[in-house]
Amino acid sequence: MIPTRLRLGVNIDHVATIRNARGGDHPDPVRAAQIVAACGGDGITAHLREDRRHIRDEDLARIQAATDLPLNLEMAATEEMLAIALRHKPHAACIVPERREERTTEGGLDAAGQHNRLAPIVARLHDAGIRVSLFIAPEERQIEAAMRLGAPVVELHTGEYAHAEGQDVARELRRLADMAALAAKNGIEPHAGHGLTYDNVQPVAAIPQLAELNIGHYLIGEAIFTGLEPAVLKMRALMDAAR
Ligand code: PXP
């Protein structure tokens, strides 16, 4: 099934990054979630990292209570994060690879190489009614692994596309388009995200099978200059124009 409207999930982690720089409670990611809800965002994404460098445990319930938008919790495949997800029951849990020393989520989850470790976590999230998404590189073997794991959603990592230059851009875009089509053909809903900006979002948004984009760092950065609402509205307009 080809979705007509592409959803925009806004990752509000970096509002918390700025808050944490001073150790207080301003700016509050909850206020960002409320603004996203008020201006037509389709979801809130937040990554509770092992080191709690941005979103903290107590933020999750506050974010969930603040709006009716679905929460997409990005989480590492650990027992600690599983317990937190089962306690908070977000709408969706996006399983991401996580290394303490990385600046951001640098690569996709190796769903193919880690089947046995991921299978019980995917199953327990699924049994709790949480929609599981796997954040994977746009590679056939990772889509096949997601199928074996029974994941209803994959989020295709757009970082390689976002960082590509010259002829590599078209090649990376082709990979995203092909893997979105492969996922959809096999009953998996494809999402995409990472490193998307006003300048590079449209070719991705034009991939017809994609149902959702998750965008954070750039939007929060733009919000410093224009405010969060205009930033979200501009991203929304670019996505709509690309469809
Ligand atoms: N999707 C996933 C799974 C992510 O880990 C991230 C980064 O936290 C994003 C989307 C958003 O990426 P960016 O902040 O570069 O827009």
Side-chain angles (χ1 to χ4, degrees):
M1 199 181 69
I2 306 276
T4 48
R5 189 170 185 278
L6 181 60
R7 295 192 301 269
L8 171 59
V10 178
N11 182 318
I12 58 173
D13 289 344
H14 296 303
V15 177
T17 304
I18 299 172
R19 175 195 63 188
N20 297 356
R22 285 293 170 94
D25 53 17
H26 185 273
D28 189 346
V30 165
R31 188 163 159 203
Q34 288 167 331
I35 292 169
V36 170
C39 69
D42 301 291
I44 301 296
T45 292
H47 185 179
L48 185 69
R49 293 187 75 102
E50 186 193 10
D51 62 7
R52 311 302 198 263
R53 72 175 72 154
H54 34 62
I55 295 296
R56 301 184 194 131
D57 300 57
E58 62 271 22
D59 292 328
L60 291 180
R62 295 172 59 243
I63 291 168
Q64 283 178 302
T67 82
D68 290 332
L69 290 183
L71 174 66
N72 174 32
L73 174 66
E74 293 178 7
M75 54 174 270
T78 63
E79 280 300 323
E80 182 201 11
M81 289 301 152
L82 176 63
I84 290 169
L86 295 177
R87 200 157 57 240
H88 288 274
K89 294 214 172 33
H91 168 77
C94 180
I95 303 182
V96 301
E98 192 175 306
R99 287 199 311 278
R100 192 182 279 264
E101 67 277 11
E102 69 190 355
R103 252 186 298 179
T104 178
T105 311
E106 280 159 8
L109 185 74
D110 184 13
Q114 296 188 25
H115 177 94
N116 292 346
R117 197 167 81 81
L118 293 171
I121 293 183
V122 171
R124 285 166 72 191
L125 290 167
H126 175 81
D127 290 349
I130 299 168
R131 199 162 190 238
V132 179
S133 163
L134 303 178
F135 188 44
I136 57 170
E139 292 170 5
E140 201 166 324
R141 67 190 192 99
Q142 299 297 353
I143 304 273
E144 287 164 1
M147 286 160 56
R148 283 195 296 278
L149 284 163
V153 177
V154 291
E155 181 166 326
L156 302 176
H157 197 308
T158 50
E160 296 280 329
Y161 160 75
H163 294 131
E165 290 178 7
Q167 292 179 338
D168 293 346
V169 177
R171 190 196 62 215
E172 291 303 326
L173 194 59
R174 183 81 260 146
R175 286 205 311 146
L176 290 166
D178 288 350
M179 291 309 111
L182 182 66
K185 196 174 113 195
N186 287 286
I188 297 181
E189 185 175 285
H191 299 176
H194 202 91
L196 295 176
T197 68
Y198 294 154
D199 289 334
N200 67 21
V201 74
Q202 288 200 298
V204 176
I207 296 172
Q209 294 86 359
L210 288 178
E212 179 174 310
L213 300 183
N214 284 300
I215 308 180
H217 183 267
Y218 184 83
L219 276 179
I220 303 306
E222 275 300 293
I224 292 170
F225 304 115
T226 67
L228 185 54
E229 179 174 337
V232 171
L233 291 177
K234 182 166 176 182
M235 191 62 84
R236 176 79 262 165
L238 287 166
M239 288 163 55
D240 288 343
R243 284 258 149 158

